[in-house]
């Protein structure tokens, strides 16, 4: 079921000021949706700030050349944040909001969620969700239409990046004819896909390249190659000169092995524990698996987090994934 845009527009009309928030370790869909929505709201006369718990990764700074995205604790303190409405984009989970979660809990502002993920927590917010949307960036385009805002180039570049990355550059099963129709509109507004692709994938650091090599060298298979898994420990980033966000999309590389149906990557976090990323090309529901580990997402792609050592975390996660893949293959 899609978003009830009339209700969305009616609610937006009641507020003069907004704070836009997205998830920790922000990716292109998070950042692109925030930047696109901020311009949409400013166009209709609203005051807008974007404040995240984590800083924008260096590789994605091109999305925000004006430096509009603020970081809690660095650029602004919690007590200085106020607005009529807090809009949460591209997540519906407390665990994904980091320290901004405490700000949201304590704020007297109304809350709105605009998201395309299946799972959700009780955030005390009005939910505007479309589980069929391939990216939250697509929903922001629909929000612009509902509010009568014409797409501009500065608005469209981050929104194009949001949709392109969340669909694996239009390779994933979430892509529909409507995806291409929306993308065509963004291109009409001034987006040059080759430039966005170059900024995303042809500006690698040597450290990022070495990190990918390390990840691939550690890849192991289970179930006769149907499941691939690999890992990165937090110490590895300094060893190869990479950043934690350089693991973005690395899991998809393991799916290139013929016969692979699912994949998992364990990414060590600077503060401890491991971020989990799941991918599926079979009936395994990644969202269902991820929710067992405090996360969520989509059927074909989801994530979670667990405290513990690498051996502890792998020992808890791999049996669950193996069982899920076996069930999915048996049902085929």
């Amino acid at each position: 079921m899609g978003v009830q845009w009339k209700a969305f527009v009616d609610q937006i009309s009641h507020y003069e000021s907004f704070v836009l928030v997205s998830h920790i370790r922000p990716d292109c869909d998070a950042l692109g949706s925030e930047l696109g929505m901020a311009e949409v709201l400013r166009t209709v006369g609203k005051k807008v700030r974007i404040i995240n718990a984590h800083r924008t990764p260096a590789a994605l700074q091109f999305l925000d050349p004006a430096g509009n995205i603020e970081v809690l604790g660095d650029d602004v303190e919690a007590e200085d944040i106020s607005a009529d409405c807090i809009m949460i984009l591209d997540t519906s989970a407390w665990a994904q909001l980091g320290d901004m979660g405490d700000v949201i809990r304590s704020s007297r502002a109304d809350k709105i969620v605009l998201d395309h993920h299946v799972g959700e927590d009780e955030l005390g917010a009005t939910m505007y969700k479309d589980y069929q949307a391939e990216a939250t960036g697509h929903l922001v385009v629909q929000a612009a239409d509902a509010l009568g805002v014409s797409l501009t180039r500065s608005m469209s570049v981050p929104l194009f990046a949001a949709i392109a990355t969340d669909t694996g550059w239009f390779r994933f099963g979430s892509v529909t004819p409507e995806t291409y129709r929306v993308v065509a509109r963004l291109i009409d507004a001034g987006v040059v896909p080759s430039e966005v692709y170059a900024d995303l994938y042809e500006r690698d650091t040597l450290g990022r390249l070495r990190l990918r090599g390390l990840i691939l060298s550690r890849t192991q298979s289970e179930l006769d190659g149907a499941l691939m898994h690999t890992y990165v420990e937090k110490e590895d980033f300094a060893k190869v000169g990479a950043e934690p966000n350089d693991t973005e999309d690395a899991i998809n590389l393991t799916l290139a092995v013929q016969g692979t149906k699912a994949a998992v990557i364990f990414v060590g976090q600077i503060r401890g524990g491991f971020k989990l990323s799941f991918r599926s090309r079979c009936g395994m529901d990644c969202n269902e698996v991820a929710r067992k580990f405090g996360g969520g997402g989509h059927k074909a792609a989801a994530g979670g987090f667990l405290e513990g050592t690498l051996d502890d975390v792998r020992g808890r996660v791999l049996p669950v994934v193996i069982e899920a893949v076996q069930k999915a293959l048996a049902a085929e």
Side-chain angles (χ1 to χ4, degrees):
M1 184 174 180
V3 172
Q4 299 299 310
W5 289 113
K6 183 180 185 304
F8 178 86
V9 171
D10 288 344
Q11 188 168 0
I12 292 296
S13 68
H14 293 304
Y15 311 123
E16 293 299 322
S17 60
F18 291 79
V19 167
L20 306 188
V21 181
S22 193
H23 54 77
I24 54 176
R25 297 181 292 273
D27 58 9
C28 276
D29 198 19
L31 299 168
S33 296
E34 289 178 311
L35 291 162
M37 181 59 77
E39 186 167 338
V40 169
L41 292 173
R42 290 183 182 120
T43 301
V44 295
K46 309 299 183 181
K47 297 178 181 178
V48 186
R49 297 175 76 178
I50 305 172
I51 305 174
N52 287 335
H54 285 185
R55 186 165 294 282
T56 300
L60 301 182
Q61 289 286 354
F62 76 94
L63 294 172
D64 183 28
N68 287 318
I69 299 175
E70 301 176 81
V71 180
L72 181 66
D74 290 345
D75 306 310
V76 60
E77 299 300 325
E79 58 268 23
D80 298 322
I81 299 174
S82 64
D84 298 329
C85 178
I86 296 176
M87 185 182 295
I88 303 163
L89 298 118
D90 200 41
T91 184
S92 309
W94 284 120
Q96 288 291 304
L97 292 168
D99 292 340
M100 279 302 295
D102 293 332
V103 175
I104 294 167
R105 285 187 180 95
S106 62
S107 176
R108 299 174 63 182
D110 287 348
K111 287 87 177 178
I112 288 176
V113 167
L114 186 65
D115 186 24
H116 70 133
H117 295 95
V118 176
E120 62 186 53
D121 293 335
E122 176 49 62
L123 302 182
T126 304
M127 296 283 182
Y128 296 99
K129 301 185 70 167
D130 184 349
Y131 307 138
Q132 302 304 313
E134 70 288 279
T136 300
H138 188 159
L139 299 181
V140 175
V141 175
Q142 293 178 338
D145 292 341
L147 289 164
V149 174
S150 298
L151 298 173
T152 64
R153 185 183 187 281
S154 59
M155 187 190 301
S156 297
V157 168
L159 292 175
F160 177 91
I163 297 170
T165 54
D166 250 34
T167 59
W169 210 260
F170 314 108
R171 293 180 293 116
F172 297 164
S174 58
V175 172
T176 67
E178 184 59 24
T179 306
Y180 290 104
R181 283 189 280 267
V182 168
V183 165
R185 292 178 57 200
L186 297 174
I187 293 172
D188 284 341
V191 174
V192 180
S194 60
E195 293 179 358
V196 178
Y197 186 92
D199 282 327
L200 284 170
Y201 304 115
E202 296 176 347
R203 302 285 188 270
D204 281 352
T205 63
L206 183 57
R208 182 182 176 94
L209 193 66
R210 287 172 171 161
L211 185 69
R212 287 181 177 178
L214 186 64
I215 290 169
L216 291 176
S217 72
R218 290 172 171 171
T219 302
Q220 299 179 54
S221 67
E222 309 285 347
L223 303 175
D224 296 323
L227 171 64
M228 295 291 171
H229 58 93
T230 185
Y231 70 93
V232 181
E233 298 200 73
K234 62 181 180 181
E235 297 83 5
D236 292 327
F237 298 112
K239 288 179 182 178
V240 300
E243 297 181 359
N245 289 99
D246 286 332
T247 60
E248 187 74 26
D249 290 331
I251 186 175
N252 294 323
L253 300 176
T254 66
L255 293 172
V257 179
Q258 185 174 2
T260 299
K261 301 295 184 180
V264 187
I265 185 171
F266 304 89
V267 180
Q269 301 299 291
I270 300 302
R271 296 182 181 179
F274 282 80
K275 176 187 174 185
L276 318 171
S277 292
F278 306 94
R279 297 291 185 272
S280 173
R281 284 183 172 174
C282 60
M284 185 186 87
D285 189 330
C286 291
N287 177 63
E288 184 178 310
V289 172
R291 289 186 69 80
K292 295 179 180 180
F293 305 107
H298 308 284
K299 183 175 182 179
F305 174 83
L306 278 181
E307 296 282 2
T309 66
L310 177 63
D311 287 342
D312 292 338
V313 172
R314 282 195 299 195
R316 293 172 61 185
V317 173
L318 284 179
V320 174
V321 179
I322 289 171
E323 182 180 3
V325 174
Q326 287 175 322
K327 288 182 178 179
L329 295 180
E332 291 183 351

